Amino acid sequence: MCPTLSRENYFLTVINEISQHHVQKGSIEYELQALLLLVAESVRDKKGLNEATIAKINELFEQYQAVRLKVSIVPKLANLFGSDDSQGSSSEQILLHTEFVDSPDLLKRKYMEAIISLLEALERNAQLDLQTCIHCGHWFIPYQRAKVARFCSSNCRNRYHYAQRKKDKQKQQAYL
Ligand SMILES: [Zn+2]
């Protein structure tokens, strides 16, 4: 079994805060940010990932090896069945997992984890429904049962319709 590499849907958090990031053109952060947006836009626009994009992802994986393997000894989960085999060495188990080399506040690590989480989401569901809100531009994954998924929240839907009505009113008044 492959260990999970990233926090689930972490890419949404990162994409939605990109406007507050300052990255130097030509830096690895710049490349990673551009790639994250490219992949996200391809998914949103239902275009799939083409060979050039896949090659670019692999190139950056090679350039920045962000994840390493780790093995830990962890306490065994509480025994749900109450049998008494939780003594001594049997109360510990080995866990093979991965960890990021850099700390979570570093931009390049953020972008890399975001890209990985997006790829993991696509691995789980190739038809991933990714949208941008037509009112505020936020990226979101609509609830499965949402009928119309153009807004990230009911707030945005209300504000959008309020602004539309206001515009219509102004138009009407202009004709009077
Ligand atoms: Zn919104």
Side-chain angles (χ1 to χ4, degrees), residues 27-137:
S27 62
I28 179 99
E29 288 81 3
Y30 185 86
E31 299 277 314
L32 288 166
Q33 187 192 90
L35 185 65
L36 172 61
L37 286 172
L38 174 69
V39 174
E41 280 160 10
S42 308
V43 173
R44 180 194 59 190
D45 303 340
K46 313 273 181 236
K47 283 190 204 141
L49 302 185
N50 60 30
E51 273 178 43
T53 307
I54 296 287
K56 185 80 200 156
I57 295 170
N58 281 323
E59 198 182 295
L60 280 165
F61 281 170
E62 210 176 305
Q63 211 180 324
Y64 173 33
Q65 309 215 350
V67 167
R68 67 175 159 230
L69 269 176
K70 210 172 171 187
V71 62
S72 303
I73 293 178
V74 295
K76 228 176 202 162
L77 292 174
N79 194 328
L80 296 171
F81 304 103
S83 64
D84 193 20
D85 62 356
S86 58
Q87 301 292 312
S89 61
S90 67
S91 64
E92 290 176 341
Q93 75 180 90
I94 275 184
L95 180 70
L96 187 60
H97 57 107
T98 60
E99 68 175 17
F100 282 86
V101 174
D102 290 312
S103 73
D105 54 317
L106 268 187
L107 265 192
K108 66 174 176 177
R109 140 79 195 264
K110 274 187 194 214
Y111 289 142
M112 186 54 98
E113 186 174 356
I115 290 168
I116 292 173
S117 73
L118 181 48
L119 293 172
E120 288 190 315
L122 288 171
E123 214 180 32
R124 284 191 302 269
N125 174 15
Q127 313 304 321
L128 180 69
D129 192 11
L130 188 57
Q131 309 266 347
T132 42
C133 176
I134 63 168
H135 182 66
C136 73

